[in-house]
Amino acid sequence: GRDSSSRTGSRDGALSESGLRADEPVREDESLPSYYLPKKQLPTMVAVAKDAAKNEIASFSAKASKLKHEGDVFFVQKRVGEALVSYEKALRLSLSGSEEKAALHANRAACYLAQNKLSLAVSEATAALENAPTWKPALMRRAKALEQIGHNEKAAADYERAFRIDGNEETRRKMITAKTNAAKEKEKSKKELRGLGPGSGLTGGANRRPVDRRAALLAQQQAAQQQRQLEQRNAPTLTLAVTFDGSLKNFTVPLASVTYLQILAAAKSAFTEKLGDNEHIALKFLDPEGTLVTVTSRSDLRYALAASQSLAARTAAASGAPQAAPDSLVPVRLEVVVVDRTPSETPDQITPANVGSPDSSPSDGDPPAEDVIEIDEWLLTFAALFRKHLGVAGETSGPLDLRVVGLEKCCEALEEAVGTDEAKGLLKSAADKFQEAAAAAVFNWGNVHVCASRKLVDTSEPAEISGAGGEQNAPSEAALKTAATRHMARIDLEFESAVARYVQALAIKPDFYEASIAWGQQAFERGKVTHVASKEPFDASLALETDKMFALSLEKFAESLGMIPTEEAVSTSETGDQDNAQASVPEEGLSLKSQILVLWGNVLFERSQVKHHRDPSIDGAWRLDCVDAVKKFTDAGCVTGDIVRALMNHTSGVWAEEKDAAAAAAGGK
């Protein structure tokens, strides 16, 4: 960047050939390409680039260290499979030939020793010694694995190398033991061979040693199997409270190993007498906001458990009942719903299936499961361009080791690559991505304030629970009233703080529609709180504030429709036949445009109820809002049955009968 403090005044005003004043010191200027800069400036730029490359290496090293620490924690907790995954990720970020890489391989060897996978432990320890030949933990762990396999002579050699490093007495003792066992092995082999002479038959000792070794290994395997069975018996379980057609059935599943498909099969089996052979079902639960969510993975099940725990805590707080123990698990409430097609299982990225498995490691069979990492196309293209300008050194496959290639050569190639025309478009793509990332960061900052505001409402009073299935609705009017009475100032503060961040996100990226959508939704939620607060006794100022919030919400949803990408600007109802679209909505989801239309319709529907409360006349203005809401729901491609149920629940009671609600829903098309 420019440094104004380095400039000095000119006495004669003369200009040098470089374009700078004769008495002005040369300075770096990012606005000039390198081939326009004075020659003596180039070494400075190379030095800066070197520092940047060193910082990049330091960044990788810091990430590797963090992952190693994570693996160490898993190992101490005896979560060996997860420790292996963490160490593997760290290895990808560590430099070849470093003690850091040796330590990671040695730690993986310790994991395989814990799993009794001795050959893999030997391989990992050997890889550690290839990076750091005197790394004592690797020598000790390889020796231990070799000893358990029965290769006492090789184990003794590793113990001897380790002893020479620091002269530790415990290491010397293990070395002597291994050498003694190796000598006994040799002597025993000689005796067995002598026993196979003429006339000795096959009754000598030649078969005893291998049989004993196999027996020892078999005993180890049986002990490991018994340990696994004991752990499975002591593993925590989870109770599922599943309802269907007014019936409730409970069954228990193992928390650590149960899969979505097993739960689905158990639920279908539990209600065999009520379900046809060819009927498909889905499992759903109510989230804290009262929305039915379909379970398709173990992560969904964890979310359902969290929702049930939250509901139980709030119910206990309201009734004065004692809270459950912190480590206890409440039953997870699930509802069986008949659908046209059974939802398929979605991958669970949080806990890969092979993590902690006693029979396989992340490196066996399939590649290790890990978090999905998205790499932008511009970054891959620029990396290829960088390799091209690096010359012969960049033609190798796999990752580049900057220490091998040479930092100075890398810096020169990077400088050359950045200056090409091809790089301009890539850098523009990079700038766009960073702009979006910055907007997303500020947007999520605003969402923190949203969570704080919602927490105030959620904890003011438990949501009402109705029906045998224990369904949880949205926050009750009593909860909103309590929140408005006790926390209105705090709710207002959190709303204003969230809006300030949304405004900042839109300033960074004007078409960041997520901020506009969230802004509209928060205005809607605040409007519901102020409406309840304005009712008894009637408060005209709060009623006016409610109207402003609803109007702002509609404005923001309309604004966000103009921001969404072209490919998302088609609602579900516009993608084809309406009946087919409706049939697929519960499982395939709504398009972005349809989701905004649903939010828009929710505001109109709520506003119609507010207007009805103020003026319940049959032809009041509230009716027009309700008609418009139905049209938004229909345009979004919502299932007709859902629209009918919404109308039946309207506070006016005009459409309480299903036939009346169905007629109104049809009229909105």
Side-chain angles (χ1 to χ4, degrees):
R2 300 173 184 256
D3 183 0
S4 59
S5 64
S6 67
R7 302 197 57 167
T8 59
S10 173
R11 288 174 295 196
D12 55 9
L15 296 176
S16 66
E17 291 181 1
S18 67
L20 298 173
R21 296 187 183 279
D23 61 344
E24 184 176 11
V26 177
R27 59 184 175 83
E28 294 182 20
D29 190 336
E30 71 278 7
S31 64
L32 296 176
S34 61
Y35 46 82
Y36 286 144
L37 294 174
K39 292 295 184 182
K40 60 181 178 179
Q41 185 176 350
L42 292 178
T44 303
M45 295 187 66
V46 171
V48 171
K50 284 183 179 180
D51 289 341
K54 291 177 181 177
N55 290 338
E56 188 71 14
I57 294 175
S59 174
F60 285 149
S61 179
K63 292 177 183 176
S65 178
K66 183 178 179 181
L67 286 166
K68 178 182 178 298
H69 176 70
E70 179 183 275
D72 294 343
V73 172
F74 284 143
F75 185 81
V76 170
Q77 295 174 346
K78 297 184 179 181
R79 297 159 64 182
V80 180
E82 290 166 277
L84 282 166
V85 173
S86 295
Y87 292 143
E88 175 64 25
K89 291 179 182 179
L91 278 170
R92 297 173 189 171
L93 299 173
S94 59
L95 291 174
S96 299
S98 64
E99 289 189 352
E100 178 184 53
K101 204 173 192 76
L104 289 166
H105 279 297
N107 285 3
R108 282 175 60 84
C111 291
Y112 286 129
L113 277 170
Q115 293 180 334
N116 201 35
K117 296 179 179 180
L118 304 178
S119 297
L120 290 173
V122 171
S123 298
E124 288 292 340
T126 302
L129 293 169
E130 288 172 355
N131 285 274
T134 59
W135 193 252
K136 184 178 177 181
L139 286 167
M140 297 296 290
R141 288 162 192 171
R142 186 170 71 173
K144 183 177 180 180
L146 289 169
E147 207 171 14
Q148 292 183 25
I149 291 173
H151 297 165
N152 290 297
E153 191 170 355
K154 293 180 180 179
D158 278 350
Y159 282 135
E160 186 171 2
R161 285 176 60 187
F163 175 69
R164 289 175 180 172
I165 293 173
D166 60 5
N168 181 271
E169 180 61 28
E170 178 66 16
T171 305
R172 188 185 70 82
R173 187 186 62 77
K174 291 182 177 181
M175 175 186 69
I176 293 173
T177 301
K179 285 184 176 181
T180 302
N181 290 335
K184 289 180 179 178
E185 285 269 332
K186 286 184 178 181
E187 184 63 26
K188 190 174 183 180
S189 297
K190 290 178 182 178
K191 290 180 179 179
E192 288 168 352
L193 287 173
R194 287 196 296 269
L196 289 176
S200 64
L202 297 178
T203 60
N207 289 328
R208 286 199 299 270
R209 184 172 58 85
V211 169
D212 290 342
R213 184 179 299 171
R214 286 196 297 270
L217 290 174
L218 181 60
Q220 289 179 354
Q221 292 173 357
Q222 290 175 343
Q225 178 67 21
Q226 291 173 356
Q227 179 64 26
R228 289 195 294 269
Q229 291 174 350
L230 179 62
E231 291 175 354
Q232 289 175 358
R233 286 196 297 270
N234 295 332
T237 58
L238 183 66
T239 300
L240 302 179
V242 185
T243 60
F244 177 65
D245 195 24
S247 299
L248 170 64
K249 295 193 176 181
N250 296 320
F251 52 92
T252 303
V253 297
L255 180 61
S257 60
V258 69
T259 65
Y260 158 72
L261 294 177
Q262 290 171 344
I263 296 174
L264 194 68
K268 191 166 185 178
S269 175
F271 296 102
T272 304
E273 69 282 0
K274 293 190 175 185
L275 291 170
D277 294 336
N278 298 322
E279 283 192 290
H280 299 277
I281 65 169
L283 296 175
K284 296 178 180 285
F285 70 94
L286 280 165
D287 69 6
E289 296 181 0
T291 304
L292 272 177
V293 179
T294 303
V295 177
T296 60
S297 67
R298 281 176 53 83
S299 61
D300 290 337
L301 187 63
R302 283 192 289 272
Y303 186 25
L305 174 59
S308 297
Q309 296 273 79
S310 175
L311 174 62
R314 288 190 292 165
T315 303
S319 62
Q323 294 279 354
D327 56 348
S328 65
L329 300 178
V330 302
V332 175
R333 300 177 181 274
L334 298 176
E335 180 181 344
V336 174
V337 178
V338 177
V339 294
D340 295 332
R341 178 169 54 89
T342 300
S344 57
E345 184 173 14
T346 55
D348 188 349
Q349 295 292 344
I350 297 177
T351 306
N354 64 331
V355 168
S357 171
D359 302 319
S360 67
S361 71
S363 58
D364 293 337
D366 295 334
E370 59 181 78
D371 296 337
V372 176
I373 301 175
E374 295 183 1
I375 301 179
D376 291 318
E377 184 65 27
W378 73 267
L379 190 57
L380 296 174
T381 308
F382 188 82
L385 180 63
F386 172 59
R387 282 180 176 270
K388 176 181 175 182
H389 285 268
L390 199 57
V392 177
E395 295 176 0
T396 59
S397 60
L400 290 174
D401 191 329
L402 297 185
R403 295 195 307 178
V404 175
V405 177
L407 282 177
E408 186 169 345
K409 185 174 180 61
C410 286
C411 294
E412 291 172 358
L414 182 60
E415 182 180 334
E416 184 180 352
V418 170
T420 62
D421 290 337
E422 186 178 355
K424 292 179 181 177
L426 300 177
L427 295 176
K428 173 63 168 60
S429 298
D432 291 343
K433 290 295 181 182
F434 286 126
Q435 179 194 36
E436 184 173 357
V442 178
F443 166 70
N444 287 325
W445 187 353
N447 286 342
V448 173
H449 294 289
V450 171
C451 292
S453 178
R454 286 178 176 167
K455 187 71 173 176
L456 293 171
V457 176
D458 291 342
T459 57
S460 293
E461 183 176 296
E464 295 175 353
I465 301 175
S466 60
E471 296 182 354
Q472 180 185 351
N473 301 317
S476 66
E477 184 168 314
L480 294 172
K481 178 71 173 178
T482 303
T485 302
R486 297 178 181 175
H487 309 297
M488 197 65 213
R490 174 73 185 279
I491 290 174
D492 286 344
L493 177 61
E494 299 294 354
F495 172 76
E496 291 167 2
S497 299
V499 168
R501 299 306 167 199
Y502 297 152
V503 170
Q504 189 177 357
L506 289 167
I508 295 171
K509 187 172 174 29
D511 61 347
F512 195 73
Y513 56 83
E514 292 94 335
S516 186
I517 294 173
W519 191 347
Q521 183 64 17
Q522 297 323 303
F524 173 47
E525 292 184 9
R526 184 170 182 272
K528 289 194 290 185
V529 175
T530 56
H531 165 62
V532 172
S534 71
K535 290 169 64 173
E536 295 178 5
F538 179 72
D539 188 319
S541 63
L542 285 176
L544 181 60
E545 184 67 14
T546 300
D547 294 341
K548 288 181 178 179
M549 286 295 103
F550 285 162
L552 175 61
S553 180
L554 295 176
E555 175 189 333
K556 289 302 169 184
F557 290 144
E559 178 182 275
S560 54
L561 276 179
M563 297 180 181
I564 60 177
T566 305
E567 62 271 17
E568 293 280 4
V570 178
S571 68
T572 305
S573 65
E574 296 169 344
T575 58
D577 180 70
Q578 179 68 12
D579 293 333
N580 290 335
Q582 289 186 1
S584 66
V585 165
E587 304 308 331
E588 296 180 2
L590 298 171
S591 68
L592 180 56
K593 179 180 179 180
S594 292
Q595 292 176 47
I596 296 174
L597 289 173
V598 170
L599 294 173
W600 195 335
N602 286 341
V603 179
L604 290 168
F605 191 86
E606 183 67 24
R607 191 168 72 173
S608 75
Q609 296 189 116
V610 170
K611 289 182 177 179
H612 177 268
H613 171 76
R614 297 174 185 171
D615 177 15
S617 59
I618 193 65
D619 294 322
W622 63 269
R623 201 178 188 96
L624 294 176
D625 273 347
C626 197
V627 170
D628 288 342
V630 169
K631 187 176 188 311
K632 295 298 180 188
F633 294 148
T634 304
D635 290 345
C638 294
V639 178
T640 302
D642 290 343
I643 301 175
V644 169
R645 282 191 290 274
L647 288 170
M648 292 173 67
N649 291 326
H650 195 279
T651 54
S652 67
V654 172
W655 302 288
E657 296 294 330
E658 185 172 357
K659 60 182 179 61
D660 296 329
K669 289 186 178 181

